[in-house]
Every structure is written in C-alpha cells, then in structure tokens.
Amino acid sequence: MPGSVALASTVLGTLLALATPTLTPIHRAGYCAFYGECGHNPEVNISLVPSKVPCLSNTPARTATGALLTLLRTVCPELVRENETTQVCCSLAQLSALKLSVALSGTVLSRCPACARNFANLYCNNICSPDQSLFANVTRIVNHTMPRGKPRLAVVEYQCFYRQDFADASFDSCRGVRLPATGGYAIDTMCGRYGARLCTTQRWLDFQGDKNNGLAPLQIDFQLVSNNTEPGDAIVPLGGHAWRCDQALSGQEQPCSCQDCAESCQPVTAPPGPPPPFRLGNADGTLVLCGLLFGLLTLIFIGTLLCRCRRSTEDITPQPAPSRAACCSARLGNASHRVLARAFRRWGTLVAGHPVVVLAVSAVLAGGLSAGLVTLRLTTDPVELWSAPGSRARQEKAFYDQHFGPFLRTNQVIVTAPGRPSSGYESVVLGAKNFSGVLSEEVLRALLELQEQLAATTAWASVAGREVTLSDVCYAPLNPTEPGVGDCCVNSVTQYFQNNGTRLAMTATQTNGKKTGTVDWRDHLIYCANSPLSFKDITALELSCMAEYGGPVFPYIAFGGYPGSEYTEAEALIITYSLNNFPHDDPRHEWVLSWERRFLEVVGDFQRTHGPNLSVAFMAEHSLEDEINRTTGEDIPVFTISYLVVFAYIALALGEYTTWRRILVESKVTLALGGIAVVLGAVFASMGLLALLGLPSSLIILEVVPFLVLAVGADNIFIFVQEYQQSQREPGETREQHIGRVLAQVAPSMLLCSVSEVICFLLGALSSMPAVRTFALTAAVAIAFDFLLQMSGFVALLALDARRQEAARFDLCCCCGMGKGGPAGPGARLLRPLLRRYYTPLLLHRLARPAVVLLFLFLACAGLYLTLQVPVGLDQELAMPKDSYMLQYFAALNRYLAVGVPTYFVTTGGYNFSSPAGTNGICSSAGCDANSLTHTIQYATRFPNMSYLAIPATSWVDDFLDWLNPTGRCCRIHKSGNLSGEFCPSTSSDPSCFGGQCLNATRRPTVQEFERFLPWFLHDHPTLQCAKGGLGAYDTAVSMDANGTILASRFMAYQRPLRTSQEYTAALRAARALAKEITTTLRQVPGTHPDFQVFPYTVTYVYYEQYLTVVAEGIITLALCLVPTFGVSFLLLGMDLRSSTATLLTITMILVDTVGAMALWNIPYNAVALINLVAAVGISVEFVSHLTCAFAHSTKPSRVERAADATINMGSKVVAGVAMTNLPGIVVLAFAKAQLIQIFFFRLNLIITLVGLAHGLLFLPVLLSYTGPSPRMPAEDTAGDKAEDTEGHTGASTEQGAGLVLSNPCFEDKDKDKATVPGQG
C-alpha cells in the first residue's frame, strides 16, 4: 500500500510538472484561480450554450453582496455563510451563466433532489468556491482583448482535483436517475460514448469537462485523488459531504424515489414463476397417471371377461329363458321406429310418385334462398374473425381508439449482409471497435438511397383521386398539423446523420492528447449509438445525434442482432416508418393503404437490385392480411380440384355394374351430380339465408362447410342408393312403393345423424369466437337443409333414375338406350363381400376382440397424454404461404429484434390526477408513493422473464412535475404586456418572462395549477433550454374533455422480444395481472371512482386474447356438441342407453385420439383447429351413429352376430360414403401453398378421417359385441325385405360359425336367448 501511494504521488507530481506552474502559482484557501468572463472560447466552434470562459486571476476571493449574494443563495446555497462574510470567486455574470447551466441539468436531474444538489455543488465549487485555487490548476490560456481594448488572459483549460470518495458519492447519487420520456437513464446523456452501462465516475466527469460536448465552455481535466494521496504543491483536492440518493436534503423534502435510487427501494421478492412440470419422482407425472389409467382399465376389462367366462363355464348348457314382458324402453323403441318407418315410407312413396313437382319446388326454394348470397359480406379482418365484439380485448381496443386514436401503423425493413466480412476500426477519440459487415459506408448509402426514394415517392389513391406522399400519412410527433417529409418519424441508422449524405461523407482531423488522426462517420455512429440523446458529439465533426424529425433514435430500435451493447457489431440494420392509422370510414385510410402498397413496390425493387449483396426483409402494416387473402385466392384452384376429385369418385362409385355392355345404363353419374347439387344447394341456401339475416361469412366457412356437408351428404347418398340397389322389389310392389320402403329402412338412421349434428352445431354456435360461432351456425343450417333436400329432391332424383334404368336408357343421355329392360340379379360388388368374407370374421375372432379393445384403450390413454402436450396458439408464420416474403421478415424479426412492441398501461376516467395524493399515486420521482403506477411497472421490468416487460413506462406525470420545477425555465408566465398571464416558451427572451416561473418553489401543484399548466406542458415543444416539453412525447397521451377533466391517459412501456404465440399469450396474461394490481392500489387513493381501472393495451392483444380461453372454450364447445349426440341417439333409439353410451364413448375417443395425433404431427391448437374439431364431431357421428343404429335394429340372435351384421351392411356404406369421399379430396389439399391449409385442412382432416374410420370400423363393432343392447324384432313395415335380409346374412352367419367364437362359452352372449319378441308379456 505505501508503494501504491508513492506511485500515485509521483504520477500526480509529474502531471503538475508538465503543467505551466506560473498560471496558478498560489494554491491557498481564500484565493481564486480565475475570475470574471473573458469572452468566448476561440477553440469551440459549435456550442449549444454560450461558451464564455473565465479570466486568469490567481487573486483573493471577492465578497458577495447585493444581487450576487441573492443569486448565490438560489444557485449555490452551500457557499453562503449566513453569520459571516461570504467570499466567492465568480462574478454576477459567471453566476448567471452557472444558473443557466444548473437549470439545464436540473430539468433532467431534479426528480432526484440529492443528485441535482450534488451535481450543482460540483460546478458551484468549480466556479464560485472561495478556495478555488486549492483544487483548480490552470494549464492553458489564450490572449483576449476586452471591449475597451484592455488585454486579458482567458482560461481555456484547467485541472480540477477531487477526492475519489467525494466524486464517487456524487456520481452514485445520479447513476440511477431515470428519464421518464424514454424509460432510460439520465446518465445516458451525461457520459458521452459510454452510455449508462459503461459509465464510471471518471468517464462521467471527463464528459462534463470535454469542450466538444456542446455544453462545456472550456476543457477541464478532472483528477481523482484517493484519500491517502496528496497531490503536492499545496493542492488540496475538493472533498466534503455528498448527499446519498436515499437521503432527504431537509425535513421538508423527500429522498430520491426507488426508481431513481436503488438504495431507496424496499426489498423486492421475485414474483412466482410458472409452476414446475408435474413429476412423480423423476418421471413425467402425467405420463405415469395415463399409464396407471390404462393399467386400471385393462384390469377392469380382463376381470370382466374372466367373470363372464367363468359364469358361462358353470352354465354350459343354459335352459331356455322364461318368457317375460319386454321392458318399457324396448316397447318405446319399437313403437318409435315403427312410427318413423311408416312416415318415411309414405313420404318416399309420395315423392317418388311426383318427382318433377318435388324437384321443381326444391329447386325454387333452394335457389330463392341462395339468392341471398348477393348480400353476403366476407369478413377478412382477423380481429373481426377471432375476437368477440364483447370481449375484453375488443372493449379495451375500442376505448383506446376512442381516446388516443388507432395504434400507429408500422412499415419496416430489416437489412443484413450475409457473407460480408467484419472490419476493425481504431478511433482517435473512442478507441478500437469492430464493425460488422452490414455497417459499411456502402450499405449505409444504399439505405440512404432507399429512404430518399421513399421520401420522394407518391402513390395514387383512386377513390380520393389524388397523389399521396409520405408527409400525408406519416406520424410527425413534433409537427402534427402541417408535416413535411423531414418531420416524419423514421427510425434508422442513417438518421444519426439526419438522412444527409453530405454529413455521412464528412471527415475531420482530430487531436486527442498526443494522438492525431481523422474522424469520420464511424466515430459519429459509435458516439450516437451510446448517447442517442446528444445534440452534438465530442468529435471534430460536431454533428448532432438527433434524427431529422427532431427526436432521438434509440439503438435498440435501429440495430439488431448485436452482442450486449456492442452496437457496431450488429448483424442487422432496421428502418422503421411509423404511419398514422385512420378509421376505415376515414378517406385517409385509403391514402395510407395506397402509400403502403407503393412502399412494398419500392422496397421490393430495392431487394431485387441489392439481392446479390444484401438480404432485405420487409413488411407493411397490411402485409399480413394481404398475404392471407392472396394465398386463399391462389389456393382456390386446389380446393376446386379437391372437390372435383370428390365429385368424380361419387359419380363413379355410386353405380353398380353387371356387364360391360350395360355400363352406360347402370352408371349413376347423373344421380351423383344431382346428389352433389343437393349438397351444394344446401350450402348455398344456408349461406344465403344467413346473409339475408345479416350474418357475415368468412373464407374459412367457404372452405370447411362444403367439405363437412359433402361428407355428411355423400354418406346419406351412398346409404340410400346402395340400400336401394341391394333391396329386391317385393311381389306386387310398385317402383314408388319400393323406394318408400327403402327410405323407411335408412331414413331413421339419417335422421338420427342429421338431428345430432344440427343440434351439435347449434350448441357450438354458443361460442364467443365470431368465426367459430358463424361456422357452427352455417354448418347447422346447411346440414338441416341437406337432410330436407335429400328427403325431397334426392328421393325424386332417385325415382327418375330408377325409371330411366328400368327403361334401359343411358345415363347422361336418357334419349338413347338399349331398348329393353335389364337382367335380374345384383351387380358386381367389392367392399361388402370383402367385409363379409375376410374383415368381419377376423375382427370379431375370439382372440382379436380383446386385442382390439386393449389397443384402443391404449390409444385413448396415449391420446389423453398427448392432448396435454399440444401447443396452444398460432404463430404468424403458419398463416403465410411458403413463398411469402413475410416468412423472411418473421425470421429476421425473431432473430434480430432487440426489443418488443410498446405496451401501454391505460387509465380510465374516475381518477383525480390533479390532487397531490393522485399525483403521488402515479409518479416515480421524489415524494411519490412506493407502490405508484410507474414504480410498480418499474419493479416488473426487473423480472422480464415473468413480466415480459423490458423497459419501464414513460410517465407524463413525472415529466410534467419536472417541467414545473422553478429552477428551470420550462414553465414561465408573461408577467406584463399584451401577453400577460400567457405561457412563455423556454426559448423566449422576452423581458416580461423574467422571474415568471409558474411555481415559486419545488412542490406539487395545486388542483387549479395542475389543470391550468397541463395543457401548456402537453403542447410545449422540447428544446435544449427545456427538454421536458411534452409535444411529441405526451401530447396524445392524455385525453381531456372541454373542461380539462382527464378522461383517459396512457403510460408506455416496452415488452421484451416475443417469438411465439405462447410468449405473446403469457405476456398478455402477465400484463393484465400487473394492471389488476395497479388498479387495486389506485382505487385506494382518496377520490378515485370505484369503477376506475388500469388495463394494458398493445396492438397484438386483440389477436392473442383468444388463447387465454380457447382451451376452456374448446372443451365446453365440444362437450356441448357431444350432449345432443347422446341425447338424440337415446331418444330416437327408444331410450337405448347402451347404444347411446357406445356412440358417445366412441366419438369422445375419436376426439381424444385426434387431438393427441395433433401433437405428433405438430398441429397447434387454436380457433382454426377448434372449428375442425367441431366439424370432426359431425363427421364422427357419420362414422358411428349409422353403425350403432344398424346394430340396434338388427334381428340377429347374439351381439357378435349383430355386430357382424351391422359392420357388413352399414360399414361398407360408411366406408364408401364418408371415408372414401373425404380421403381423395383431403390428399389434394397437401399441394396447397398456404401452410394454414396444409396443417389445419390436410393434416388435421386426414387425422379426423382416419381416426374416425378406425374407431367406426374397428373399435365400435367390438364394443357393441360386448356391451350392445338386446336384439329386437324388425318393425312390421320392413318385413317385406326379409328375403334380401336372409340372403345377405346367411353367409355371414355361416362364416361366423366357422371362423368366429360363437360356440366358445367363454365369449358367448348371455342375451342370446333373450331377444325381445313382440307380443310377449
């Protein structure tokens, strides 16, 4: 330690020896080093304040009297000696200049009284201390001639010695002071190129003493001396007391607030993070529970089988069951079936007898309703699609737009230079820096050229009939009334040069100590990136860092992909145009859309021109919506091909052919096209009806509803036509009666499915999401119309086709024919014999049935686990086609952006800002509440991973209080003249403003003062004399009525960069929790209305709010859809609890497995997925209910035989009508350009179809073979079809007897001999 002290003394002694010793020969208490003013510093070319320097005067201090003493009490009260003579080393002119300097710093630092006082004390001692010569040593002077010709020596540089601990204490009191307008630190503006992050005491003082900073009138060389070191030569470093920031200057004042002083903060505990993953030991807890559930279900199933096997073994030769009366539900089921069969038989016979009339009436009704499509409104706005009008986000958006106008429109360009090497740069002033490849003069000039082109470009607005320029639509914060192009808010790196190519090319010779070199654009850029609020850099270039429009360009907005704060190593440069957003009914809305289209064209040309060297990603505000609409339009041919493939399949598969020569007769192309026309007529009629009722539609409805109704309608078509083809006409039965009898057999099942689906979708229409609600309502009406048209128009078409075929006339050309009737006997069949001979015996084998049950139980449990792993949300990238330029932009945004979108905390009416308690509940400076609004938000930014906030909120209340501070010159009033009582701007030198401060002391304004001065503040242009003016930063942040009552206000913070929809959703949830906490606190302030609230708002919330509730809403919606499936089945099947339960269980398992498969195929869950899942319920009903209905009405003696009967007869129709109708069309969708279609229409619908088919044809028959209801005899109306029924089932029964397990007592149905016979009991 002694060696260190000796070394320091040697160094300081050397420094003093190098100085000119004769300039300050006397270092003694009571002596000055300089005094008075000796004109302007000839070495300072550009200064933001008068650069007057003192005269060399190593003489005794002067006595302060009169005006000097009075002013000294105000500016430097610590130097006043109340009970003795006050000595000073400054003149009245020097003290007046010092007052101006202190006022400038006080505007920024006054929110922390200790800092402001310490900073003022430093300069008070430097300029006016009576012991000035003790710590000041003049090192350089120049000759100066006074006005009367008297020569004097002007001081242009001196050394100033401070004690290290004194300087450190002063610096520490200021290092945390905030700038409410930016959310940053005041020290950013006071430490030059180092900024707040790298600033130290020495660097802080060095910047204050740098004559090139635009504020210092001369060069000051600050020397910090440790406590144990003496400089020698009678120099005594300035020391003494410095106020800590957590200390109050007096009993009437407050210490600095927590936001400005960490020492004032109470201990803050980190908010609880997200709950850890559920685990049991080291294993995934959910996986373990699902495994245990599967094990439990397996044990129950196996135990049940063993019990049945044991009972069957004990009673291997059962006695015939005694006759007993049929239960009430069985009788009701038979009765309801007979009623429905009789009604449909009569209806079918009637329609078949008058087909032309029925077709005409159906066509007129469908066509008339379809005419409503001329009034159809398509909704393309994502807000209108996915956010309910009454949702919280929509209400908050409406409130925000009403009081502050719509959110600004953003147009952005992100430029990178892949492959361009980085380069080192040795700055004379700023040291060595590494510049990335994109930070080259060539790239900057290219960006400057792009911005100049955009500034000069015009766009044609056709409706307005005029050319639109950038100045017509841009956001101009400092000149909102009549902006020019230079007033437009454009943030880019080239704005550090005010978008001026001449300034970018400037160079200058710079001397820094003994080192001389050239400074250029790189030196200026380094400086501005670290001190963006500077009006003048410290290089010989002497350029401002402020943008052309007058505001600062913060580096986290203009640079991207930089490590830490090394902005010169940024990988990307970002240009951001902020445009005004106008309501859709405002003519200027067309202006801004026109200019944005021109923006995309210009930037697109720039991208093509510079493509070999630069990577250019860009977007306009309307790009997202435009790209979604574009890809939807481009994929219309894909959907068209998809539907054509389905139509072709139906047309070919519907026929049943006997011989090659009768193909044209037995073809059903005309009937198939008629069936398709019925389906499309139902879709168009439903959409037309809803359009007439004023319900808007959307593109997703146009894409999904026809697909859904086609699946349902095609299934009914195949069931009806194939049943007619397989049914033989009874003796004496007419063609019309035959059609009526077949309709009686199949229509109850079709009614069951249709009613279930209609009620399902009607309940789904209760969803709060507009797109889901509109889809469900359209689907319900379309399926209802489809059933009605099939029961009328299609029955009539079948009657006409049957008449044609019986007359042996050709399909598609009924004028020609073979001239004779067709042969008897069925046509060639493929699917039904395959099911009867191979599939059903294998499926219902005694070993296969338990294996199938266990397999599907496993799939259900696995699906349940995977369901919990499905991500919730929809990343913006998925909404784009693969060839969209937006994908490149999103990739660049996620990779390079250093800060997220602004988030506003909005206050509603009912809060009294003007009362002292109300002010303290908002602000964050000295005297404000510890749990104030701005303090609470600032606390949250300490934990960005949980609050998702990165930069604290700007606060107009804090800047308003600083603006009112009487030590500055911001708020002044004309005291006389014509303008007496009016506002006096800080730039005015009018004598009537002298001494006209709005407040006479540093205090809270009264209610009357608050209301009087606030409008002045909001419209005061910020200047160097008063940087706290509110115009630009806050003029739109406060909404007031004509009486000055604050109706709403906003406080802007910034989110951290958000990458995924899950992060956006979590950020919304965190912001709302924070706003709720603030609301609770502010409601406790006296005078606050009980309905007052604070809510967060940003442009993305209205899109992502749905993901807060989409899971719960999806569960409720799907549950509501399942209820009618069970209820309708229960009622129409005669209160058959077993069949209804089997239907419900199978559809539920289909949904669970579908959602589980979504996790495996990377399909996120969101509103689009929910629409498809709601549609999946309808499609699942087709897979399940027809088969269940066929099983319930089968008359086979055992469950296994009835399951086989239903699978063979109805399963073939379901496969042909649902699965084979859907699959070809779905496969075509894989070729769509839009990722949204590929993921949610190809992948998800393929999963739905395959999973539904597997459950309908594998699991359900096995389930019914175990748990199905007792058999019942056929209704009397259908007895005439027994011959076909016997023929069709004999083979199946024989084969089952050979290959199945009917003779195995372990799997024998106990209800085999208990068939319900009509008339028993």
Side-chain angles (χ1 to χ4, degrees), residues 29 93 483 508 592 750 762 1035:
V592 72
M750 295 162 63
L762 286 177
D1035 57 308

Side-chain angles (χ1 to χ4, degrees), residues 239-521:
H241 173 71
W243 298 94
R244 295 199 319 271
C245 61
D246 60 341
Q247 287 182 317
L249 302 185
S250 66
Q252 291 75 37
E253 297 185 74
Q254 298 289 332
C256 303
S257 69
C258 173
Q259 187 163 358
D260 300 315
C261 174
E263 290 80 359
S264 295
C265 297
Q266 299 294 327
V268 179
T269 57
F278 172 55
R279 305 192 69 82
L280 292 174
N282 295 325
D284 185 328
T286 307
L287 181 61
V288 171
L289 291 181
C290 289
L292 292 175
L293 177 62
F294 172 68
L296 177 62
L297 294 176
T298 300
L299 290 176
I300 293 174
F301 173 68
I302 294 176
T304 303
L305 286 186
L306 293 177
C307 290
R308 294 184 61 183
C309 177
R310 181 177 178 182
R311 289 198 301 269
S312 300
T313 304
E314 293 174 353
D315 190 15
I316 194 66
T317 56
Q319 300 297 321
S323 300
R324 59 181 178 87
C327 66
C328 179
S329 63
R331 291 197 301 272
L332 181 60
N334 288 329
S336 64
H337 184 70
R338 285 195 299 271
V339 170
L340 287 176
R342 186 179 300 113
F344 280 117
R345 181 170 188 169
R346 291 175 178 174
W347 172 255
T349 303
L350 177 65
V351 172
H354 306 84
V356 177
V357 175
V358 173
L359 273 177
V361 174
S362 300
V364 170
L365 292 177
L369 291 175
S370 300
L373 289 173
V374 298
T375 65
L376 182 67
R377 292 184 296 111
L378 280 181
T379 301
T380 58
D381 186 353
V383 175
E384 299 292 335
L385 281 175
W386 307 116
S387 182
S391 68
R392 176 178 171 181
R394 287 286 293 276
Q395 292 177 341
E396 291 170 350
K397 180 181 184 299
F399 182 91
Y400 182 92
D401 291 350
Q402 175 188 354
H403 292 283
F404 308 110
F407 212 87
L408 292 177
R409 303 177 70 91
T410 299
N411 294 256
Q412 203 164 60
V413 183
I414 302 176
V415 178
T416 59
R420 185 185 287 264
S422 60
S423 59
Y425 177 66
E426 186 68 33
S427 172
V428 178
V429 181
L430 308 172
K433 283 289 182 180
N434 185 49
F435 276 69
S436 64
V438 76
L439 271 174
S440 66
E441 185 173 359
E442 177 186 353
V443 175
L444 294 185
R445 289 204 171 275
L447 297 186
L448 188 57
E449 176 188 347
L450 172 62
Q451 292 171 83
E452 290 172 348
Q453 188 175 357
L454 288 170
T457 193
T458 59
W460 178 253
S462 57
V463 177
R466 56 160 290 176
E467 295 285 349
V468 178
T469 65
L470 175 60
S471 59
D472 291 326
V473 296
C474 74
Y475 171 60
L478 297 178
N479 188 12
T481 54
E482 297 181 359
V485 172
D487 297 315
C488 294
C489 179
V490 180
N491 286 291
S492 70
V493 176
T494 54
Q495 282 283 28
Y496 288 138
F497 306 90
Q498 296 75 51
N499 277 352
N500 188 307
T502 303
R503 294 176 183 173
L504 180 62
M506 285 178 61
T507 60
T509 301
Q510 178 93 32
T511 300
N512 185 27
K514 294 183 178 181
K515 189 176 183 181
T516 300
T518 301
V519 292
D520 59 14
W521 64 270

Side-chain angles (χ1 to χ4, degrees), residues 1087-1105:
T1088 302
H1089 194 278
D1091 294 333
F1092 165 80
Q1093 67 172 348
V1094 178
F1095 66 85
Y1097 176 77
T1098 191
V1099 67
T1100 60
Y1101 285 172
V1102 73
Y1103 303 106
Y1104 290 100
E1105 184 192 40

Side-chain angles (χ1 to χ4, degrees), residues 651-798:
L652 295 176
L654 206 56
E656 189 175 46
Y657 309 103
T658 56
T659 63
W660 284 102
R661 61 189 299 268
R662 291 184 57 82
I663 286 180
L664 293 179
V665 174
E666 295 170 341
S667 169
K668 301 290 184 185
V669 174
T670 304
L671 181 62
L673 293 177
I676 293 169
V678 166
V679 172
L680 295 180
V683 173
F684 293 151
S686 64
M687 296 178 65
L689 175 62
L690 295 177
L692 289 173
L693 296 176
L695 189 71
S697 188
S698 63
L699 292 173
I700 196 169
I701 291 175
L702 297 180
E703 294 163 350
V704 179
V705 170
F707 175 82
L708 171 65
V709 180
L710 188 61
V712 174
D715 189 27
N716 291 341
I717 289 172
F718 274 92
I719 290 173
F720 187 22
V721 173
Q722 289 188 0
E723 187 67 28
Y724 180 76
Q725 291 170 340
Q726 296 166 10
S727 174
Q728 298 295 323
R729 189 175 302 172
E730 296 179 351
E733 188 177 42
T734 65
R735 180 177 58 251
E736 290 76 13
Q737 292 173 336
H738 184 198
I739 292 175
R741 177 169 54 81
V742 172
L743 184 65
Q745 293 173 353
V746 299
S749 174
M750 295 162 63
L751 176 66
L752 168 64
C753 293
S754 298
V755 172
S756 298
E757 291 158 356
V758 169
I759 299 177
C760 161
F761 288 123
L762 286 177
L763 292 176
L766 299 175
S767 170
S768 63
M769 294 184 187
V772 177
R773 181 172 61 251
T774 306
F775 161 76
L777 192 57
T778 305
V781 177
I783 290 175
F785 281 172
D786 180 59
F787 177 77
L788 295 176
L789 288 176
Q790 285 183 331
M791 292 298 103
S792 54
F794 188 74
V795 173
L797 286 172
L798 180 65

Side-chain angles (χ1 to χ4, degrees), residues 9 86 105 356 441 469 609 700 735 744 755 1031 1033 1108 1208 1282:
S9 300
T86 298
S105 63
V356 177
E441 185 173 359
T469 65
T609 301
I700 196 169
R735 180 177 58 251
V755 172
L1031 182 65
L1108 296 177
I1208 294 168
K1282 288 181 180 178

Side-chain angles (χ1 to χ4, degrees), residues 1221-1258:
T1221 300
N1222 289 356
L1223 288 175
I1226 291 173
V1227 171
V1228 175
L1229 296 181
F1231 299 97
K1233 290 183 179 180
Q1235 298 182 85
L1236 204 65
I1237 293 175
Q1238 291 184 0
I1239 294 173
F1240 296 103
F1241 294 93
F1242 166 62
R1243 294 185 192 176
L1244 187 51
N1245 279 301
L1246 184 61
I1247 291 172
I1248 291 170
T1249 302
L1250 295 179
V1251 171
L1253 181 63
H1255 282 76
L1257 254 68
L1258 284 171

